[in-house]
Amino acid sequence: AFGAPVSRRGLLALGAAAASQPAEARTEGSSAKRDEFARLVRARAPLRDIDNAVDALVPLNPTQRPGAAYGPLAPGTWRVVHAPHIKKLLGTVTGASFDVRYIIGDAGAISSHVRYDGSLVGTGWLSTRGSVRSGGEGAVVLDWTDGWIDPGAERWGEPERSSGAEWVRPLARVGFIPQLAVFPVEYLDADLCSFVFQVTGTRIVCVREGGALDNLTQYRRT
């Protein structure tokens, strides 16, 4: 129901395939595969086809041990362009669209801001913030400590001035549950990142705002 699930065994196999290839070959190959992923997103191809394109890209990951080496590449704003669980689960249940962005600071601070828009839920922003840290060679851990909502707002605010912080904050802290907080990183370069949402076994693919693939955000289906 959620596209192509990514199993732990599959992740290990893809990681081993990546590690076995010379760095130059990975870089050259990933450029072509990344172009194919971008082409499919722009064409609004079936989600499974896009997932297959990411499958082909992952073994060419130019960042070895991304869970430990993500630091220099992480800071900035990243926007989600492919997330089957958002499209098929949340979108179906709420009838809304979601524009998700992560803002990562130099010292590991992270905030997430989700723009929602739908006839049932209205419009606004759902935000969380916390920190990101290494979860080993192949994963990162997101420790969410705060959450709030800005219904009807054009842009997210701060929790002190926003509504719902008292009941959203406990939901954000559910992220401390290991199954929700640990995200295996499949692929990472200066402009593109793919990591796995373990609850559903589906991936989340983001592009850097202002980067080479920034225009993909206008073709997102979340």
Side-chain angles (χ1 to χ4, degrees):
F2 298 105
V6 184
S7 68
R8 181 176 179 82
R9 180 176 296 176
L11 280 171
L12 291 173
L14 290 171
S20 67
Q21 299 187 50
E24 295 81 1
R26 289 196 301 271
T27 301
E28 292 175 4
S30 66
S31 179
K33 297 298 184 183
R34 200 177 76 160
D35 289 347
E36 175 63 8
F37 165 79
R39 184 190 70 79
L40 291 170
V41 171
R42 292 188 185 101
R44 293 188 168 92
L47 296 178
R48 184 173 296 277
D49 290 351
I50 297 175
D51 245 15
N52 289 340
V54 181
D55 282 340
L57 184 61
V58 168
L60 302 172
N61 183 12
T63 305
Q64 296 301 287
R65 301 181 295 280
Y70 70 90
L73 294 171
T77 299
W78 296 81
R79 294 182 65 182
V80 173
V81 295
H82 177 64
H85 70 287
I86 295 177
K87 171 68 176 177
K88 292 194 173 184
L89 178 59
L90 295 178
T92 299
V93 172
T94 66
S97 62
F98 301 89
D99 184 2
V100 185
R101 66 197 71 199
Y102 299 97
I103 302 176
I104 303 175
D106 292 327
I110 184 172
S111 61
S112 169
H113 305 283
V114 181
R115 174 73 175 176
Y116 58 87
D117 187 349
S119 57
L120 293 179
V121 298
T123 61
W125 293 90
L126 177 62
S127 302
T128 56
R129 69 182 176 191
S131 60
V132 57
R133 56 186 170 87
S134 175
E137 292 190 350
V140 296
V141 180
L142 303 184
D143 295 324
W144 299 117
T145 57
D146 211 350
W148 65 98
I149 190 169
D150 294 292
E154 288 299 316
R155 184 175 172 82
W156 65 87
E158 294 297 321
E160 301 80 22
R161 302 188 186 91
S162 302
S163 62
E166 294 76 14
W167 61 268
V168 177
R169 184 177 295 114
L171 296 178
R173 289 177 176 168
V174 170
F176 282 119
I177 298 175
Q179 292 88 336
L180 300 181
V182 179
F183 294 84
V185 181
E186 297 183 303
Y187 182 93
L188 177 63
D189 65 26
D191 300 300
L192 182 69
C193 175
S194 176
F195 57 94
V196 177
F197 185 56
Q198 295 193 101
V199 174
T200 59
T202 54
R203 54 173 49 106
I204 301 170
V205 184
C206 307
V207 298
R208 182 185 297 279
E209 191 171 87
L213 299 176
D214 180 55
N215 69 343
L216 293 186
T217 59
Q218 64 185 296
Y219 301 99
R220 62 179 174 76
R221 288 179 295 161
T222 52

